[in-house]
Amino acid sequence: MAGSPAETTTPASGFDRFFEITARGSTLSREIRGGFATFFTMAYIVVLNPLILGAAVDGDGASLAIPAIAAVTALVAGLMTILMGVVARFPLALAAGLGVNALVAYEIAPQMTWADAMGLVVIEGVIIAILVLTGFRQAVFRAVPTELKTAIGVGIGLFLALIGFVDAGFARGSAGSPPLLLGIGGQLVTWPVLVFVIGLLITLVLMVRKVKGAILIGILGATVLALIVEAVAKVGPAGGPAGNPHGWSLNVPTLDKDWSIAPDLSLLGNFNVFDSWGRAGVLVCLMFVFTLLLTDFFDTMGTMVAVGQEGDLLDEDGNPPRTREILLVDSIAAAAGGVASTSSNTSYIESAAGVGEGARTGVASLVTGALFLVAVLVSPLVQIVPFEAASAALVVVGFLMMTAVRTIDWTDWEIAIPAFLTIVLMPFTYSISNGIGAGVITYVLLKVVSGKARAVHPLLYGVAALFVLYFLRGPIEAAIL
């Protein structure tokens, strides 16, 4: 038992009363411990987000500096997590969203500049905030079938895993057939791929052993191995004038860096909300904003319910305390991610690790946020982490997201077929929006032809119509232009 009724209901101080520490059966030490646990289970994003965004180029061929992305990733995660703790008083941490950053890097930025792409993220965050304040967000959430929401998450997981395998060189593109091959010519023959494989196996073993911070430990362990390999084998970077298919795909892991540099916060404010509409087209930008919104939309609502359930914090209707405040902070974080060029920030399911350690209040979020702010100071260290060391985390996160596939009823073809298309089209077409669009359109179509048109929420018809326009944008633009 946590203690006597007096101990569990009488606040010890104003701080205790504000955060409801005693009222929720917690203690300050548990909150601190939980805050540390959450940080160490999601700190990998400070390394991973820069490698996802930094590996892509925009429509002008420009790329973002990896140390700068690392610094603002930690900064925004810290500030938004603290805001969650103070405003919502809920043990939920936020950071750049995996899946959303892939959408920004591989689909949105190539059609415009980075500033334009981040401007769309800002617009999406503002729209979500308006939807929260009007109550419309919950209405749209109810409109999409639960199993289709699950399929979206599973598809994003497979997409992230594919990115991890490809960026690590474990799978490589082929000019002929098949389009992807194992390693080089069907063989794993490079030192960087060995680092990736060992890092992946270490992470998986740590996860099975229930080690806290398994993903971060796996990245750090693989990075140490990469440093040793580079020092001994002198692998060097991939590509270059002479060509080097056996080299490191992005960062070369060496300690020969300039460690005197301060955290690079130059990306703050590097966004533009207007130019993208003329460059990529209004329809394309609308669909990108909509896809960003949809991706963020359901992730947070599912995450906050899961974390609340883990800590026995849900009410009789299955809602966590201060739901509106949680969603509002999350929407502010989405916009803040665009302002800082980190991509949309969202709530992390890894917060459940802190709840598992006893956290029940926003104090844990204060601790996690403070640790992220400390991480800003060491963000330049990210330049020694090669893709091959960090990509294992993408594969592991993909696995974790994939596990939700078990909740889909594969015997009901009216939902199974849309779910299947949603899942497979994301990695197969390298597009999150293509998967979501195909799933929504197919779901509406199958319900209508099955005589169950009334079972489809009216809002979903509008969503399906937008996606039809999205897929037909090529012929439409050709006819108009």
Side-chain angles (χ1 to χ4, degrees), residues 9 26 34 60 89 94 109 111 126 130 134 144 156 189-190 220 239 256 286 323 399 418 420 423 460 462 464:
T9 59
S26 184
D60 291 340
R89 287 170 261 173
L94 304 95
Q111 299 199 38
V126 172
I130 294 172
T134 60
V144 178
I156 292 174
V189 294
T190 71
L220 296 177
D256 184 20
L286 282 175
T323 297
F399 158 73
F420 168 76
I423 292 169
L460 209 57

Side-chain angles (χ1 to χ4, degrees), residues 158-177:
L158 283 180
F159 185 35
L160 290 174
L162 177 62
I163 292 172
F165 283 124
V166 171
D167 287 344
F170 188 87
R172 298 186 184 229
S174 169
S177 181

Side-chain angles (χ1 to χ4, degrees), residues 116-200:
D116 295 340
M118 294 305 170
L120 294 184
V121 174
V122 172
I123 293 172
E124 173 247 341
V126 172
I127 292 175
I128 289 185
I130 294 172
L131 294 179
V132 171
L133 295 174
T134 60
F136 189 71
R137 184 174 188 178
Q138 291 86 329
V140 176
F141 180 77
R142 290 191 294 268
V144 178
T146 301
E147 290 175 296
L148 201 55
K149 300 170 194 171
T150 300
I152 292 172
V154 172
I156 292 174
L158 283 180
F159 185 35
L160 290 174
L162 177 62
I163 292 172
F165 283 124
V166 171
D167 287 344
F170 188 87
R172 298 186 184 229
S174 169
S177 181
L180 282 178
L181 290 174
L182 179 70
I184 298 177
Q187 296 180 330
L188 302 178
V189 294
T190 71
W191 284 109
V193 169
L194 177 64
V195 169
F196 164 75
V197 172
I198 293 176
L200 177 59

Side-chain angles (χ1 to χ4, degrees), residues 163-426:
I163 292 172
F165 283 124
V166 171
D167 287 344
F170 188 87
R172 298 186 184 229
S174 169
S177 181
L180 282 178
L181 290 174
L182 179 70
I184 298 177
Q187 296 180 330
L188 302 178
V189 294
T190 71
W191 284 109
V193 169
L194 177 64
V195 169
F196 164 75
V197 172
I198 293 176
L200 177 59
L201 294 177
I202 289 173
T203 305
L204 294 176
V205 169
L206 292 174
M207 289 180 61
V208 171
R209 298 288 296 176
K210 310 293 185 184
V211 175
K212 295 290 190 297
I215 294 177
L216 179 62
I217 294 172
I219 292 175
L220 296 177
T223 299
V224 171
L225 176 60
L227 286 167
I228 296 172
V229 167
E230 177 60 25
V232 174
K234 305 296 182 183
V235 178
N244 181 18
H246 296 262
W248 304 98
S249 60
L250 191 60
N251 290 341
V252 177
T254 69
L255 295 177
D256 184 20
K257 310 284 185 181
D258 182 6
W259 305 116
S260 63
I261 59 174
D264 184 355
L265 302 178
S266 61
L267 290 177
L268 289 174
N270 185 34
F271 69 97
N272 189 321
V273 299
F274 298 114
D275 289 355
S276 58
W277 300 88
R279 179 161 180 169
V282 174
L283 181 59
V284 171
C285 288
L286 282 175
M287 289 313 306
F288 278 146
V289 170
F290 175 74
T291 303
L292 283 168
L293 189 149
L294 199 63
T295 304
D296 260 346
F297 214 79
F298 305 114
D299 222 22
T300 298
M301 299 192 79
T303 298
M304 70 180 187
V305 170
V307 171
Q309 188 173 34
E310 174 78 13
D312 194 24
L313 297 172
L314 304 181
D315 60 22
E316 61 275 9
D317 297 320
N319 299 314
R322 299 184 181 86
T323 297
R324 187 179 184 184
E325 286 84 350
I326 293 173
L327 294 176
L328 182 59
V329 172
D330 185 82
S331 63
I332 294 173
V339 169
S341 295
T342 71
S343 88
S344 178
N345 276 231
T346 188
S347 303
Y348 264 57
I349 192 61
E350 283 86 348
S351 304
V355 174
E357 289 290 332
R360 295 294 182 272
T361 77
V363 176
S365 295
L366 300 185
V367 174
T368 302
L371 291 172
F372 268 118
L373 294 183
V374 172
V376 174
L377 302 177
V378 296
S379 58
L381 289 172
V382 76
Q383 62 188 309
I384 71 170
V385 181
F387 238 147
E388 292 78 4
S391 291
L394 284 177
V395 177
V396 172
V397 172
F399 158 73
L400 294 174
M401 298 177 75
M402 177 73 185
T403 58
V405 75
R406 68 187 184 280
T407 63
I408 298 174
D409 183 3
W410 295 103
T411 64
D412 180 0
W413 286 16
E414 292 176 13
I415 188 63
I417 292 174
F420 168 76
L421 292 175
T422 298
I423 292 169
V424 300
L425 284 180
M426 288 187 190

Side-chain angles (χ1 to χ4, degrees), residues 6-38:
E7 291 174 326
T8 57
T9 59
T10 304
S13 65
F15 182 84
D16 186 330
R17 185 180 303 107
F18 179 80
F19 285 103
E20 302 174 338
I21 300 174
T22 302
R24 296 186 187 179
S26 184
T27 65
L28 184 59
S29 61
R30 289 182 188 175
E31 296 301 314
I32 294 174
R33 189 169 67 245
F36 269 86
T38 295

Side-chain angles (χ1 to χ4, degrees), residues 81-106:
T81 300
I82 290 173
L83 187 65
M84 179 68 76
V86 173
V87 175
R89 287 170 261 173
F90 193 70
L92 200 59
L94 304 95
L98 283 170
V100 178
N101 55 6
L103 174 66
V104 172
Y106 295 101

